[in-house]
Amino acid sequence: MKRTSFLIVFAWVLLSTQHASAQTTGLKLWYDHPAEKWTDALPIGNGTLGAMIFGGIQQEHIQFNEQTLWSGGPRQYARDGAAAYLPVIRKLLFEGKQAEAEKLAGIHFLGKKSNEDSYPAQYAAWLKKVTANTAYAAVGFNDSAWPTMKLPTPNGWEATGLPGLDGALWFRITFELPKAWVGKDIIINLGKVRDMDITYINGKKTGSIDSTNALRKYTIKAADLKEGKNLLAIQIINPNDKGGFVGPKSDQQPYVIYPADAGPKSAVSLGLNWKYFIQDNNPPAFPAYEASYLPFADLLINFKNVEKAGNYYRDLTISDAVATTSYTVNGVKYTREYLASDPQKVIAIHLAASQPGHISFEALLQTEHKQFSVSRIDDHTLALNLKVNDGVLKGSSYLSVYATKGKVNVTSKGISVSNADEVTLYLSAATSFINYKNVSGQPNAICKQVTQAVSGKTYQTVKTAHVADYHRYFNTFTINLGGGTDAALPTDERIRRFEKAFDPSLLTLYTQYARYLMISCSRPDSKLPANLQGIWNDQIVPSWGSKFTTNINLEMNYWPVDELNLSPCLQPLISMVKGLSITGRQTAKINYNLPGWILHHNTDIWLGTAPINASNHGIWVSGGAWLCHNMWEHYLFTRDEKFLREQAYPAMRACAEFFNSFLIKDPKTGYLISTPSNSPEHGGLVAGPTMDHQIIRDLFKNCIAAAKVLHTDAAFSKTLQAKYKRIAPNQIGKYGQLQEWMQDIDDTTDTHRHVSHLWGVYPGTDITWDNSPALMHAAEQSFKYRGDDGTGWSLAWKVNLMARFKHADHAMELVKKLLSVAENGSAKERGGVYHNLFDAHPPFQIDGNFGGAAGIAEMLLQSQQGYIDLLPALPAALPEGEINGICARGGFVLNMKWATGRLQQVAITSKAGGKCQLKYAGKQIEFNTVPGKTYTLNGGLKLL
Ligand code: FUC
């Protein structure tokens, strides 16, 4: 190396390391009180195990997950015979008969639900059995031992401490009939009930409705009532999902009675505390299109003698991936540390006290899964074994304890420790999942092996190895956006203040937190990519199954990885795409009778690819093609030809093969279009949504480029080239908007959260300022109509779009919305962040965290147009800053500094060699690069 360039590199390294240490000090989430809610708790993870730390004083609660614990099992997801209906559905759509097309597709084209064939008979038999027993409706039955439930339960009885409860339940309450009402017919209003009620008055059946929407308003005949006490008994049948008395959504007045002739004004309340009894919580497994990601268990640590604690503090240091809790009791300082180690495959919890002999507790493992057992393995190990209810997977978790001094006792109930100086707990978990076809794993053996491997190590050794391992990922990138006085405040307070007083240091934290979350939930050895909640989920019935939604969410999760220098974290997605290209081949055949592979709008651990849920949004064909975009982008950033040849291109080519045959000629315009499909979750089943065409064009273009790099498939490239030109183009409509569909039917008052037709602006490159400014203006117009509000991921997408439009300050306004207080959110869908900086859809969805970080990066650097655009959308609110390790397409890594809103210096390291084109403030330069070499330029783009 020449002396001058050596000095430059040396200076660069020095600069970035100094910078790293200065900057990491603020990389903390911290609080002065324990978590009350799950979204206050702090997440840790090693790519497989995830845990949420509550940091309670008397009781530590660690809710944990293992990323492969899901419901369901391997099976065929596509519906045999579906392809026969494809031409009929297409014809109906061409004739403008959307409703008929959706109806037909709903019956014949959607995928198959689990056990849908056997379910009706199983359910009928179960229902017959539970409804035959009416003893609980009898007046003479003694319900004094039954617990009570407070009504209504708008979020289901699950939310009242009965997680995952489905089946048959009884409710009873007595009420006084006023003397004046004797002899009158009485109306009883029970609001809405999930799903079926069978209502009895004084032991006699009064009414029954099977519907989640119908209002239960029954007339009780005067003859069935008596003066004084009367008994109301209701059997509720809830085969699946939320259960119970949902209550009033509007102005209904449920749980009241009134005389039919007097009307609701004279209503008398029945009371809200009702007795209940779980008659049968084992209904047959409810048919599901896809499986759900499930929580694993909870570790509870009950500490002794800690009533009056002071100096409470808890934090998560994201620069080291270590969480702590500390407090003082009677002059003794207690400290807990928590980490999720990938080298050791355990969650480690270290308990220390400032004086010897002060650590005493009981540790328990609890789970919401119905089938479980807890057992003692040996003198320091407790085990939890479970099996999921609606599915095939089994799981095991071991908790082992190592105490310095003191006494340890392990029974089949839990672990107790008394008067120890210091204690380390190791928690492991595993399931029987090996891959989407193989569930023969031995979770017990895995936990045993993991526990043995860690047993000889000190906590310090485990911690040192963990931190070093984590740094391999985390330390590739630093960012400092200035500001920072608020860093001295607790994080929940900072979030609250941010709305009123802008603090760029919170953006620094937010960006790095996204990287922390990515490293914690998606590592090269993870078996699955980050799902809707990464790997953190405490709900047995999570929103949207906490799975992989592919009409935006899964792809968005991976938007920041390459740019923010976390390329290895993409590996689980790469593996998933490989699997999907196999399972999706079956769906391409069964649903379309075509070659190649397809993925619709969702997938799960079993790699389902068939359309699901409903025909108005489930039949969306571009999930696989969008994932191929992520694959190609990875190549552009890394220039890893081996990856392109062996992993990306085979999947991209097979996906293009599908679309090459799938596109058909639109009889009206003559263009090739995608049909049947959908503009995600908007406008129903249609022929030719704009987004599909943008994605398919992108796929064809990238396949052609990849084939060129790999010197292969010339003939196929030619075919794609010819087709590319015939695909329906982007169109500008009557309001100057980019049309979402083939027809000019956009509604300018529609604020739907999906902005699908803007895909071509971001993440795609179908529409750019350089190549298609008129379309860019039309896209801006469409954005304007959709408006600035949105759910978490919707806001994150809009930040990226605004950055590509180059409206820097507007992009920043959207970032602010993304960081608003989620707890303020009204019932209307609106994003924000919870106290732990988790993104709120609401509820928690991690895509907003990842998409948001990508958006901040997009404001600082863009490279999608063949050159590196420095500070392309720098908002006035971020005049000073420094970013080291940000990546650009072409295989470049940049260190960049700006002040007073102007670029000061940039150092570019080339990984792959080749031409580097740079653009800043109207200037453009170009130079050749050598792999491994760094080139430093000043703010005027002069090579130094
Ligand atoms: C898509 C979105 C929803 C949500 C869900 C997980 O269906 O439209 O808003 O993010 O995925």
Side-chain angles (χ1 to χ4, degrees):
M1 194 190 282
K2 271 214 222 124
R3 200 178 141 71
T4 43
S5 43
F6 172 78
L7 284 175
I8 290 166
V9 174
F10 179 72
W12 173 69
V13 169
L14 201 71
L15 199 92
S16 45
T17 37
Q18 273 177 355
H19 183 76
S21 60
Q23 197 238 356
T24 48
T25 48
L27 294 179
K28 246 184 200 80
L29 282 75
W30 74 273
Y31 308 83
D32 56 14
H33 56 277
E36 281 158 26
K37 299 186 295 297
W38 190 80
T39 47
D40 300 341
L42 293 168
I44 58 170
N46 67 0
T48 302
L49 300 172
M52 296 293 285
I53 318 285
F54 282 67
I57 299 171
Q58 279 91 3
Q59 182 180 69
E60 177 60 87
H61 177 191
I62 297 176
Q63 182 272 321
F64 65 95
N65 292 91
E66 200 278 356
Q67 71 162 177
T68 63
L69 192 72
W70 287 63
S71 62
R75 69 178 178 91
Q76 179 184 316
Y77 276 56
R79 184 174 297 279
D80 284 323
Y85 295 88
L86 179 65
V88 195
I89 297 164
R90 283 177 158 171
K91 184 164 176 284
L92 287 170
L93 289 175
F94 282 142
E95 288 165 359
K97 298 176 180 160
Q98 187 189 52
E100 279 174 59
E102 285 179 357
K103 192 167 172 214
L104 190 77
I107 300 166
H108 300 289
F109 206 74
L110 286 184
K112 264 188 102 127
K113 296 183 191 176
S114 56
N115 66 307
E116 67 170 35
D117 298 331
S118 52
Y119 184 76
Q122 284 171 355
Y123 178 68
W126 175 81
L127 188 65
K128 199 168 162 200
K129 184 186 82 186
V130 292
T131 52
N133 185 351
T134 57
Y136 308 109
V139 176
F141 180 83
N142 181 359
D143 62 18
S144 59
W146 288 11
T148 56
M149 188 185 292
K150 185 154 192 285
L151 304 190
T153 54
N155 293 316
W157 54 41
E158 288 82 355
T160 69
L162 299 167
L165 178 63
D166 298 323
L169 270 75
W170 281 87
F171 287 80
R172 285 167 61 105
I173 193 158
T174 53
F175 61 91
E176 292 281 330
L177 187 75
K179 201 165 181 181
W181 294 3
V182 176
K184 292 185 176 193
D185 285 355
I186 299 291
I187 308 283
I188 184 165
N189 182 352
L190 303 172
K192 288 183 182 177
V193 174
R194 295 185 70 130
D195 292 344
M196 173 159 75
D197 71 296
I198 307 171
T199 298
Y200 297 84
I201 295 286
N202 296 324
K204 186 173 170 196
K205 185 167 162 186
T206 303
S208 172
I209 296 177
D210 186 3
S211 155
T212 51
N213 284 324
L215 195 59
R216 269 48 166 206
K217 226 178 196 181
Y218 298 124
T219 304
I220 314 168
K221 290 272 157 247
D224 294 334
L225 292 157
K226 52 187 192 303
E227 189 185 339
K229 274 209 180 340
N230 288 266
L231 173 79
L232 169 65
I234 304 174
Q235 187 183 26
I236 294 195
I237 307 295
N238 174 240
N240 168 55
D241 210 349
K242 288 178 185 167
F245 293 91
V246 177
K249 277 246 174 337
S250 55
D251 54 355
Q252 308 158 15
Q253 214 193 352
Y255 323 119
V256 292
I257 50 169
Y258 53 87
D261 61 2
K265 276 201 200 100
S266 58
V268 169
S269 170
L270 290 165
L272 295 180
N273 292 314
W274 294 33
K275 293 267 185 185
Y276 76 95
F277 169 68
I278 303 172
Q279 180 191 0
D280 185 324
N281 61 356
N282 269 314
F286 195 75
Y289 280 112
E290 285 187 358
S292 296
Y293 178 49
L294 304 172
F296 204 105
D298 299 83
L299 163 60
L300 300 175
I301 312 176
N302 296 315
F303 292 93
K304 305 229 168 95
N305 314 321
V306 281
E307 275 73 46
K308 277 182 245 107
N311 297 328
Y312 181 88
Y313 173 86
R314 73 183 165 105
D315 74 6
L316 171 66
T317 302
I318 62 171
S319 47
D320 288 337
V322 176
T324 69
T325 297
S326 63
Y327 51 87
T328 309
V329 179
N330 293 331
V332 180
K333 183 173 181 190
Y334 293 86
T335 312
R336 303 178 202 154
E337 267 189 18
Y338 326 73
L339 56 90
S341 155
D342 193 19
Q344 294 298 151
K345 313 287 178 217
V346 292
I347 289 166
I349 302 138
H350 182 72
L351 309 170
S354 61
Q355 287 175 25
H358 271 77
I359 300 177
S360 302
F361 64 84
E362 270 185 353
L364 309 167
L365 288 172
Q366 286 184 357
T367 183
E368 287 176 358
H369 294 280
K370 284 183 208 157
Q371 303 171 61
F372 78 95
S373 64
V374 178
S375 55
R376 177 188 187 278
I377 297 291
D378 57 34
D379 284 353
H380 50 251
T381 313
L382 186 70
L384 166 77
N385 285 297
L386 59 84
K387 186 187 162 295
V388 307
N389 211 35
D390 294 343
V392 299
L393 290 176
K394 289 181 283 182
S396 302
S397 168
Y398 276 27
L399 177 69
S400 55
V401 62
Y402 301 91
T404 310
K405 304 240 177 85
K407 225 179 113 196
V408 174
N409 189 24
V410 181
T411 70
S412 61
K413 298 229 154 42
I415 294 177
S416 73
V417 171
S418 35
N419 306 327
D421 291 355
E422 201 182 310
V423 177
T424 305
L425 292 157
Y426 293 117
L427 184 68
S428 61
T431 78
S432 49
F433 176 84
I434 290 181
N435 62 42
Y436 69 96
K437 293 185 286 200
N438 183 348
V439 292
S440 66
Q442 300 295 322
N444 235 299
I446 298 170
C447 290
K448 192 171 170 191
Q449 185 260 322
V450 163
T451 304
Q452 262 164 12
V454 79
S455 66
K457 304 210 149 96
T458 64
Y459 171 70
Q460 271 318 319
T461 322
V462 171
K463 181 179 172 184
T464 306
H466 158 72
V467 173
D469 178 65
Y470 175 76
H471 281 173
R472 287 193 298 139
Y473 303 96
F474 190 77
N475 288 359
T476 56
F477 173 92
T478 67
I479 180 169
N480 185 351
L481 298 174
T485 44
D486 282 2
L489 296 170
T491 307
D492 44 354
E493 189 52 36
R494 281 177 85 180
I495 298 168
R496 261 191 294 271
R497 275 172 59 101
F498 187 76
E499 277 186 324
K500 292 184 201 91
F502 179 71
D503 171 20
S505 74
L506 190 65
L507 297 188
T508 300
L509 181 66
Y510 183 78
T511 308
Q512 286 287 32
Y513 188 52
R515 295 182 74 250
Y516 166 81
L517 292 173
M518 180 55 69
I519 303 164
S520 304
C521 72
S522 181
R523 289 200 177 195
D525 60 353
S526 302
K527 282 191 179 154
L528 293 168
N531 67 40
L532 285 173
Q533 300 190 178
I535 42 172
W536 299 278
N537 166 39
D538 69 331
Q539 304 282 314
I540 281 274
V541 187
S543 298
W544 295 289
S546 190
K547 50 186 175 173
F548 309 98
T549 305
T550 50
N551 63 14
I552 173 75
N553 319 85
L554 177 62
E555 293 90 346
M556 178 180 278
N557 279 356
Y558 288 89
W559 284 354
V561 284
D562 286 309
E563 190 158 7
L564 298 188
N565 217 332
L566 287 178
S567 288
C569 295
L570 190 72
Q571 188 52 51
L573 187 69
I574 298 170
S575 308
M576 178 180 254
V577 169
K578 185 172 181 201
L580 290 168
S581 71
I582 299 167
T583 58
R585 207 168 260 285
Q586 192 183 43
T587 302
K589 181 83 194 138
I590 294 176
N591 277 66
Y592 302 91
N593 196 21
L594 292 178
W597 67 281
I598 181 168
L599 164 65
H600 293 87
H601 94 300
N602 264 274
T603 190
D604 61 5
I605 190 171
W606 312 112
L607 302 186
T609 51
I612 64 159
N613 292 0
S615 59
N616 68 349
H617 68 277
I619 303 170
W620 173 72
V621 296
S622 307
W626 189 341
L627 284 170
C628 285
H629 174 82
N630 287 56
M631 298 299 110
W632 174 247
E633 288 273 294
H634 182 61
Y635 165 72
L636 290 181
F637 274 97
T638 59
R639 287 293 194 91
D640 180 348
E641 257 183 60
K642 187 167 184 286
F643 158 77
L644 184 65
R645 187 179 315 107
E646 292 171 9
Q647 293 170 292
Y649 187 65
M652 288 164 65
R653 189 198 195 279
C655 189
E657 244 176 282
F658 173 83
F659 285 103
N660 179 41
S661 323
F662 173 74
L663 292 171
I664 59 165
K665 195 165 153 187
D666 175 20
K668 280 204 192 93
T669 61
Y671 290 126
L672 289 181
I673 62 164
S674 161
T675 177
S677 196
N678 169 245
S679 192
E681 300 175 37
H682 195 210
L685 191 64
V686 296
T690 300
M691 180 201 230
D692 276 7
H693 300 148
Q694 296 174 346
I695 295 179
I696 298 164
R697 258 195 300 275
D698 181 82
L699 174 70
F700 285 7
K701 187 176 71 183
N702 299 340
C703 267
I704 295 164
K708 205 168 157 197
V709 173
L710 301 172
H711 306 291
T712 185
D713 270 344
F716 186 57
S717 286
K718 248 194 174 151
T719 310
L720 295 183
Q721 220 136 23
K723 287 255 162 111
Y724 181 96
K725 292 188 197 127
R726 294 174 53 207
I727 299 173
N730 293 304
Q731 300 180 74
I732 301 176
K734 56 179 179 270
Y735 304 111
Q737 89 285 11
L738 182 70
Q739 283 182 205
E740 186 163 354
W741 296 279
M742 291 295 287
Q743 304 77 15
D744 191 0
I745 51 169
D746 298 80
D747 173 357
T748 57
T749 63
D750 181 350
T751 57
H752 196 273
R753 63 193 178 285
H754 284 264
V755 282
S756 305
H757 47 320
L758 306 191
W759 191 94
V761 176
Y762 187 98
T765 52
D766 207 40
I767 303 174
T768 60
W769 281 127
D770 286 355
N771 296 333
S772 38
L775 287 172
M776 204 68 165
H777 284 300
E780 283 181 305
Q781 198 61 22
S782 292
F783 186 115
K784 203 169 119 198
Y785 291 136
R786 278 296 218 276
D788 281 2
D789 284 327
T791 58
W793 60 257
S794 175
L795 287 172
W797 194 352
K798 288 175 181 175
V799 174
N800 286 281
L801 286 166
M802 263 308 151
R804 287 247 167 130
F805 289 140
K806 309 247 173 106
H807 299 315
D809 293 332
H810 194 159
M812 185 49 85
E813 287 312 307
L814 293 159
V815 170
K816 286 187 197 162
K817 280 180 185 276
L818 194 59
L819 272 144
S820 60
V821 181
E823 270 85 356
N824 275 353
S826 61
K828 195 170 155 40
E829 291 185 338
R830 173 185 175 278
V833 285
Y834 295 108
H835 288 175
N836 62 3
L837 277 177
F838 267 177
D839 172 71
H841 178 286
F844 162 52
Q845 229 174 264
I846 207 160
D847 39 25
N849 287 97
F850 295 139
I856 291 169
E858 202 64 19
M859 291 157 81
L860 305 176
L861 188 95
Q862 293 180 22
S863 56
Q864 73 282 2
Q865 298 192 90
Y867 51 83
I868 301 173
D869 203 347
L870 302 167
L871 304 175
L874 185 70
L878 298 179
E880 320 278 327
E882 185 171 358
I883 188 161
N884 295 314
I886 192 166
C887 299
R889 293 167 189 82
F892 299 106
V893 188
L894 286 83
N895 289 2
M896 185 165 69
K897 212 172 177 169
W898 67 98
T900 57
R902 308 250 343 137
L903 179 72
Q904 301 297 304
Q905 189 170 310
V906 57
I908 304 174
T909 304
S910 169
K911 289 199 288 194
K915 214 189 297 162
C916 176
Q917 277 182 282
L918 281 185
K919 207 169 173 179
Y920 175 68
K923 277 210 185 94
Q924 186 156 352
I925 65 150
E926 189 182 308
F927 52 93
N928 279 320
T929 67
V930 173
K933 233 178 134 176
T934 299
Y935 305 84
T936 306
L937 299 95
N938 66 16
L941 293 194
K942 276 229 158 59
L943 267 166
L944 299 176

